[in-house]
């Protein structure tokens, strides 16, 4: 069945070593648009629930109590435009799904009365009908939406439970991709730290050789120069190593 195949594909997106949340979102939306019957475009959004004083947003006091977008993937640019309009006006099926934490179905946007300002934008962007399902993701929310340029494109009784399944797989895949990103970030930090240590050790060796001093005294010299010039010790070390190499090369 298409939903099983799509669920496996979505789940696999978070397993690749090159996976990132941004890449996974784009591929999820493209896969849904390709595989879900009647779907012409898909939208996957990660939301964060802002609380007063939340450091993740400079405007947390102003938006406290509402969800803000962390990132999203849209299979088509027109759907991205429609979503950005929803987010700006705080009106439309996707923002209602995350605000109410329940599935939101649109049979035909031209018959809708819930979001009067969104109707014309949706029609311009070719978004006539849709089903959007929200799923919690460790303090955040993922909304998974399928959209169509045709009215009454989806059978709510059939599509909604399937969307629930896909949203759960998307949440798990995004969590996995985010964990891979954290691991990659930590590894990059470790590589940088090792590189910094290596160049500082080189600089200490140069000072120890030139002055006949010990490692602690050499490091103290590096730190003193850094403080006087308001530089990082690593930057002072790099400059010394580069200067030493230039002098030896002459």
């Amino acid at each position: 069945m298409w939903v099983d195949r799509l669920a496996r594909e979505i789940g696999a997106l978070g397993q690749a070593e090159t996976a990132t949340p941004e890449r996974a979102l784009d591929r999820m939306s493209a896969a849904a648009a390709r595989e879900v019957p009647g779907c012409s475009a898909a939208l996957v959004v990660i939301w964060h629930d802002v609380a007063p004083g939340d450091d993740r947003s400079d405007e947390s006091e102003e938006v406290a109590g509402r969800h803000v977008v962390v990132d999203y993937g849209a299979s088509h640019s027109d759907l991205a435009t429609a979503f950005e309009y929803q987010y700006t006006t705080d009106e439309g099926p996707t923002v209602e799904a995350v605000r109410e934490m329940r599935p939101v179905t649109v049979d035909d946007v031209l018959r809708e009365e819930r979001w009067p300002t969104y109707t014309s934008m949706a029609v311009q962007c070719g978004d006539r009908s849709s089903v959007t399902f929200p799923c919690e993701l460790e303090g955040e929310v993922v909304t998974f939406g399928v959209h169509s340029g045709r009215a009454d494109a989806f059978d709510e009784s059939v599509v909604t439970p399937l969307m629930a399944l896909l949203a759960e797989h998307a949440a798990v895949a995004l969590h996995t991709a985010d964990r891979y990103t954290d691991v990659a970030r930590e590894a990059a930090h470790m590589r940088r730290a090792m590189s910094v240590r290596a160049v500082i050790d080189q600089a200490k060796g140069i000072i120890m050789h030139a002055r006949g001093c010990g490692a602690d005294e050499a490091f103290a010299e590096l730190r003193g120069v850094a403080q006087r010039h308001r530089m990082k010790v690593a930057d002072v070390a790099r400059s010394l190593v580069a200067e030493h190499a230039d002098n030896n090369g002459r």
Side-chain angles (χ1 to χ4, degrees):
M1 187 178 180
W2 66 265
V3 69
D4 296 323
R5 182 173 62 252
L6 181 54
R8 288 194 298 269
E9 183 176 352
I10 288 174
L13 292 174
Q15 300 295 329
E17 293 185 1
T18 57
T20 64
E22 296 82 4
R23 183 175 297 179
L25 285 166
D26 289 338
R27 291 184 176 180
M28 284 177 190
S29 61
R34 183 176 63 250
E35 297 287 348
V36 177
C39 178
S40 55
L43 176 70
V44 186
V45 187
I46 304 176
W47 305 79
H48 174 63
D49 188 3
V50 177
D54 193 329
D55 291 338
R56 291 185 62 172
S57 173
D58 294 335
E59 301 174 345
S60 61
E61 297 298 336
E62 297 179 16
V63 299
R66 62 166 288 190
H67 289 80
V68 296
V69 171
V70 175
D71 204 351
Y72 74 92
S75 62
H76 294 75
S77 59
D78 284 345
L79 186 57
T81 299
F83 170 64
E84 289 169 0
Y85 184 85
Q86 286 189 63
Y87 188 54
T88 300
T89 60
D90 197 30
E91 185 175 294
T94 309
V95 295
E96 182 158 319
V98 71
R99 182 168 54 234
E100 302 293 334
M101 281 305 296
R102 60 174 179 80
V104 174
T105 300
V106 177
D107 295 322
D108 185 356
V109 75
L110 292 178
R111 301 197 299 265
E112 277 294 339
E113 298 180 353
R114 288 175 287 183
W115 319 292
T117 62
Y118 175 66
T119 300
S120 60
M121 174 58 68
V123 172
Q124 290 176 38
C125 294
D127 186 13
R128 286 287 299 274
S129 60
S130 62
V131 177
T132 303
F133 194 94
C135 182
E136 293 187 9
L137 173 64
E138 293 193 358
E140 296 177 332
V141 177
V142 174
T143 53
F144 202 115
V146 290
H147 300 252
S148 176
R150 298 185 295 105
D152 304 305
F154 305 106
D155 182 341
E156 181 179 0
S157 63
V158 175
V159 174
T160 299
L162 297 179
M163 292 306 300
L165 174 64
L166 294 178
E168 290 177 3
H169 276 74
V172 172
L174 288 167
H175 174 66
T176 304
D178 194 45
R179 189 170 68 245
Y180 274 125
T181 301
D182 289 342
V183 171
R185 189 181 300 115
E186 183 176 344
H189 288 168
M190 186 174 295
R191 286 194 297 271
R192 284 196 292 271
M194 292 174 65
S195 175
V196 166
R197 180 170 180 173
V199 76
I200 290 175
D201 284 345
Q202 282 183 271
K204 283 164 56 179
I206 293 170
I207 295 173
M208 291 164 64
H209 178 74
R211 300 194 178 182
C213 63
D216 290 344
E217 186 177 342
F219 183 77
E221 178 65 23
L222 284 173
R223 185 171 58 188
V225 173
Q227 290 174 341
R228 287 194 298 274
H229 294 277
R230 296 182 178 180
M231 298 172 64
K232 294 179 180 178
V233 173
D235 291 337
V236 173
R238 289 190 188 94
S239 296
L240 177 58
V241 169
E243 181 180 350
H244 182 73
D246 287 344
N247 289 339
N248 287 343
R250 290 175 182 172

